[in-house]
Coordinates of all heavy atoms in Angstrom, one line a residue:
R472 N 7.1 -9.4 24.3 CA 5.8 -9.1 24.8 C 4.8 -9.8 23.9 O 4.9 -9.7 22.7 CB 5.5 -7.6 24.8 CG 5.3 -7.1 26.2 CD 5.6 -5.6 26.2 NE 4.4 -4.8 25.9 CZ 4.5 -3.5 25.7 NH1 5.6 -2.9 25.7 NH2 3.4 -2.8 25.4
F476 N -2.0 -11.2 18.4 CA -2.3 -11.4 17.0 C -1.1 -11.8 16.2 O 0.0 -11.7 16.8 CB -2.9 -10.1 16.4 CG -2.0 -8.9 16.6 CD1 -0.9 -8.6 15.8 CD2 -2.2 -8.0 17.7 CE1 -0.1 -7.5 16.0 CE2 -1.4 -7.0 17.9 CZ -0.3 -6.7 17.1
Y490 N 9.5 -6.6 20.0 CA 8.2 -6.2 20.3 C 7.4 -6.0 19.0 O 8.0 -5.5 18.0 CB 8.2 -4.9 21.1 CG 6.8 -4.3 21.3 CD1 5.9 -4.9 22.2 CD2 6.5 -3.1 20.7 CE1 4.6 -4.3 22.3 CE2 5.2 -2.5 20.8 CZ 4.3 -3.2 21.7 OH 3.0 -2.6 21.9
S491 N 6.1 -6.3 19.0 CA 5.3 -6.0 17.9 C 4.0 -5.3 18.4 O 3.3 -5.8 19.3 CB 4.9 -7.2 17.0 OG 6.0 -7.6 16.3
G492 N 3.7 -4.1 17.9 CA 2.5 -3.5 18.1 C 1.5 -3.9 17.0 O 1.8 -4.8 16.2
K493 N 0.4 -3.2 16.9 CA -0.5 -3.5 15.8 C 0.1 -3.3 14.4 O -0.1 -4.0 13.5 CB -1.8 -2.7 15.9 CG -2.7 -3.3 17.0 CD -4.1 -2.8 16.9 CE -4.3 -1.4 17.5 NZ -4.3 -1.3 18.9
V494 N 1.0 -2.3 14.3 CA 1.5 -1.9 13.0 C 3.0 -2.0 12.9 O 3.6 -2.5 11.9 CB 1.1 -0.5 12.6 CG1 1.8 0.0 11.4 CG2 -0.5 -0.5 12.4
R495 N 3.7 -1.6 14.0 CA 5.2 -1.6 14.0 C 5.8 -2.8 14.7 O 5.3 -3.3 15.6 CB 5.7 -0.3 14.5 CG 5.9 0.8 13.5 CD 6.1 2.1 14.1 NE 4.9 2.5 14.8 CZ 3.9 3.0 14.1 NH1 3.9 3.2 12.8 NH2 2.7 3.3 14.7
D496 N 7.0 -3.2 14.2 CA 7.8 -4.2 14.9 C 9.1 -3.5 15.3 O 9.7 -2.7 14.6 CB 8.2 -5.3 13.9 CG 6.9 -6.0 13.3 OD1 6.0 -6.3 14.1 OD2 6.8 -6.1 12.1
L497 N 9.5 -3.8 16.5 CA 10.8 -3.2 17.1 C 11.8 -4.3 17.2 O 11.5 -5.4 17.7 CB 10.5 -2.7 18.5 CG 10.5 -1.1 18.6 CD1 9.4 -0.5 17.7 CD2 10.3 -0.7 20.0
V515 N 17.3 1.3 18.5 CA 16.3 0.2 18.1 C 16.0 0.4 16.6 O 16.2 1.5 16.1 CB 15.0 0.3 18.9 CG1 15.2 -0.1 20.4 CG2 14.4 1.7 18.8
V517 N 13.0 0.5 14.2 CA 11.6 0.6 14.1 C 11.1 0.3 12.7 O 11.5 1.0 11.8 CB 11.1 2.0 14.5 CG1 9.6 2.1 14.5 CG2 11.6 2.3 15.9
R522 N 0.7 -4.0 7.9 CA -0.5 -4.4 8.7 C -1.4 -3.2 8.8 O -1.0 -2.0 8.9 CB -0.2 -4.9 10.1 CG 0.6 -6.2 10.1 CD 0.6 -6.8 11.5 NE 1.4 -6.1 12.4 CZ 2.7 -6.2 12.6 NH1 3.4 -7.1 11.8 NH2 3.3 -5.5 13.5
S524 N -5.1 -1.9 10.9 CA -6.1 -2.3 12.0 C -7.3 -1.4 11.8 O -7.2 -0.2 11.4 CB -5.5 -2.2 13.4 OG -5.3 -0.9 13.7
H559 N 13.8 11.0 17.2 CA 14.5 9.8 17.6 C 15.3 9.2 16.4 O 16.1 8.3 16.6 CB 13.6 8.8 18.2 CG 12.6 8.2 17.3 ND1 12.0 7.0 17.6 CD2 12.0 8.7 16.2 CE1 11.0 6.7 16.6 NE2 11.0 7.8 15.8
C585 N 16.7 4.1 15.3 CA 16.3 5.2 16.2 C 16.9 5.1 17.6 O 17.3 4.0 18.0 CB 14.8 5.1 16.5 SG 13.8 5.4 15.0
R586 N 17.2 6.3 18.2 CA 17.6 6.3 19.6 C 16.6 5.5 20.4 O 15.4 5.7 20.3 CB 17.6 7.7 20.1 CG 18.9 8.4 20.1 CD 18.8 9.7 20.8 NE 18.3 10.7 19.9 CZ 18.1 12.0 20.3 NH1 18.4 12.3 21.6 NH2 17.7 12.9 19.5
R587 N 17.1 4.6 21.3 CA 16.1 4.0 22.2 C 15.7 5.0 23.3 O 16.5 5.5 24.0 CB 16.8 2.8 22.9 CG 15.8 1.9 23.6 CD 16.5 1.0 24.6 NE 17.5 0.1 24.1 CZ 17.3 -1.1 23.7 NH1 16.1 -1.6 23.9 NH2 18.3 -1.9 23.2
L588 N 14.4 5.2 23.3 CA 13.9 6.2 24.3 C 13.1 5.4 25.4 O 12.6 4.3 25.2 CB 12.9 7.1 23.6 CG 13.4 7.9 22.4 CD1 12.3 8.7 21.8 CD2 14.6 8.8 22.9
E589 N 13.0 6.1 26.6 CA 12.1 5.6 27.6 C 10.8 6.4 27.3 O 10.7 7.6 27.5 CB 12.6 5.9 29.0 CG 13.6 4.9 29.4 CD 14.3 5.4 30.7 OE1 13.7 6.1 31.5 OE2 15.5 5.0 30.8
M590 N 9.8 5.7 26.7 CA 8.6 6.3 26.2 C 7.7 6.8 27.4 O 7.6 6.0 28.4 CB 7.8 5.4 25.3 CG 8.6 4.9 24.1 SD 9.2 6.2 23.0 CE 7.7 6.9 22.3
F591 N 7.1 7.9 27.3 CA 6.1 8.3 28.3 C 4.8 7.5 28.0 O 4.5 7.3 26.9 CB 5.8 9.8 28.1 CG 6.9 10.7 28.6 CD1 7.7 11.4 27.7 CD2 7.1 11.0 30.0 CE1 8.7 12.2 28.1 CE2 8.1 11.8 30.4 CZ 8.9 12.4 29.5
E594 N -0.4 9.1 25.3 CA -0.6 9.4 23.9 C -0.9 10.9 23.9 O -1.9 11.4 24.4 CB -1.8 8.7 23.3 CG -1.8 7.2 23.6 CD -1.3 6.4 22.4 OE1 -0.8 7.0 21.5 OE2 -1.4 5.1 22.5
K640 N -1.9 5.2 27.4 CA -1.6 4.2 26.5 C -2.1 2.8 27.0 O -1.7 2.4 28.1 CB -0.1 4.1 26.3 CG 0.4 4.3 24.9 CD 1.9 4.2 24.7 CE 2.3 3.1 23.8 NZ 1.7 3.1 22.5
A641 N -3.0 2.2 26.3 CA -3.6 1.0 26.7 C -2.8 -0.2 26.3 O -2.0 -0.1 25.4 CB -5.0 0.8 26.1
E642 N -2.9 -1.3 27.1 CA -2.3 -2.5 26.7 C -2.9 -3.0 25.4 O -4.0 -2.6 25.0 CB -2.5 -3.6 27.8 CG -1.7 -3.4 29.0 CD -0.2 -3.3 28.8 OE1 0.3 -4.3 28.2 OE2 0.4 -2.3 29.3
V643 N -2.2 -3.9 24.7 CA -2.7 -4.4 23.4 C -4.1 -5.0 23.6 O -4.3 -5.7 24.5 CB -1.7 -5.5 22.8 CG1 -2.3 -6.1 21.6 CG2 -0.4 -4.8 22.5
E645 N -6.7 -3.3 24.3 CA -7.6 -2.4 25.1 C -7.7 -1.1 24.4 O -6.8 -0.7 23.6 CB -6.9 -2.2 26.5 CG -6.6 -3.4 27.3 CD -7.9 -4.0 27.9 OE1 -8.5 -3.3 28.7 OE2 -8.1 -5.2 27.7
D647 N -7.4 3.0 24.2 CA -6.8 4.1 25.0 C -7.9 4.9 25.6 O -9.0 4.9 25.1 CB -6.0 5.0 24.0 CG -4.9 4.3 23.3 OD1 -4.4 3.3 23.9 OD2 -4.5 4.7 22.2
K693 N -1.9 12.4 17.0 CA -1.4 11.8 18.2 C 0.2 11.7 18.1 O 0.7 11.1 17.1 CB -1.9 10.4 18.4 CG -1.5 9.7 19.6 CD -1.4 8.2 19.5 CE -0.3 7.7 18.6 NZ -0.1 6.3 18.5
E695 N 3.9 10.6 20.2 CA 4.5 9.9 21.4 C 5.9 10.4 21.6 O 6.7 10.5 20.7 CB 4.5 8.4 21.1 CG 3.2 7.8 21.2 CD 3.2 6.2 21.1 OE1 4.2 5.6 21.7 OE2 2.3 5.7 20.5
L707 N 10.9 13.5 20.4 CA 9.7 13.0 19.6 C 10.0 11.6 19.0 O 11.0 11.5 18.3 CB 9.3 14.0 18.5 CG 8.1 13.7 17.7 CD1 6.9 13.5 18.5 CD2 7.9 14.9 16.7
G708 N 9.2 10.6 19.3 CA 9.5 9.2 18.9 C 8.4 8.7 17.9 O 7.6 9.5 17.4
D709 N 8.4 7.4 17.8 CA 7.3 6.7 17.0 C 7.2 7.3 15.6 O 8.1 7.7 15.0 CB 6.0 6.9 17.8 CG 5.1 5.7 17.7 OD1 5.6 4.5 17.9 OD2 3.9 5.8 17.3
E710 N 5.9 7.2 15.1 CA 5.6 7.8 13.8 C 5.1 9.2 14.0 O 4.5 9.5 15.1 CB 4.6 6.9 13.0 CG 3.3 6.9 13.7 CD 2.2 6.1 12.9 OE1 2.4 6.0 11.7 OE2 1.2 5.7 13.5
Ligands
ATP1468 P1 -0.8 0.2 18.9 O1 -1.0 -1.1 18.2 O2 -1.9 0.6 19.8 O3 -0.3 1.3 18.1 P2 1.8 0.2 20.0 O4 1.7 1.7 19.9 O5 2.4 -0.4 21.1 O6 0.3 -0.3 20.0 P3 3.1 0.2 17.4 O7 2.7 1.7 17.2 O8 2.8 -0.7 16.3 O9 2.3 -0.4 18.6 O10 4.6 0.0 17.9 C1 5.5 1.0 18.1 C2 6.0 0.9 19.5 O11 7.3 1.4 19.6 C3 5.2 1.7 20.5 O12 5.0 1.0 21.7 C4 6.1 3.0 20.8 O13 5.8 3.6 22.0 C5 7.4 2.3 20.7 N1 8.5 3.3 20.2 C6 8.5 4.1 19.2 N2 9.7 4.8 19.1 C7 10.5 4.3 20.1 C8 11.9 4.6 20.5 N3 12.6 5.5 19.9 N4 12.3 3.8 21.5 C9 11.6 2.9 22.2 N5 10.3 2.6 21.8 C10 9.8 3.3 20.8

Side-chain angles (χ1 to χ4, degrees):
R472 242 157 91 191
F476 53 83
Y490 174 70
S491 288
K493 283 197 281 287
V494 172
R495 269 167 292 280
D496 302 310
L497 251 62
V515 290
V517 179
R522 293 193 293 275
S524 69
H559 65 157
C585 297
R586 263 189 274 180
R587 190 201 301 265
L588 303 175
E589 281 167 28
M590 302 303 290
F591 289 103
E594 310 262 7
K640 241 180 116 56
E642 290 299 310
V643 173
E645 306 281 307
D647 297 337
K693 180 210 72 173
E695 287 188 36
L707 184 53
D709 212 53
E710 64 173 343

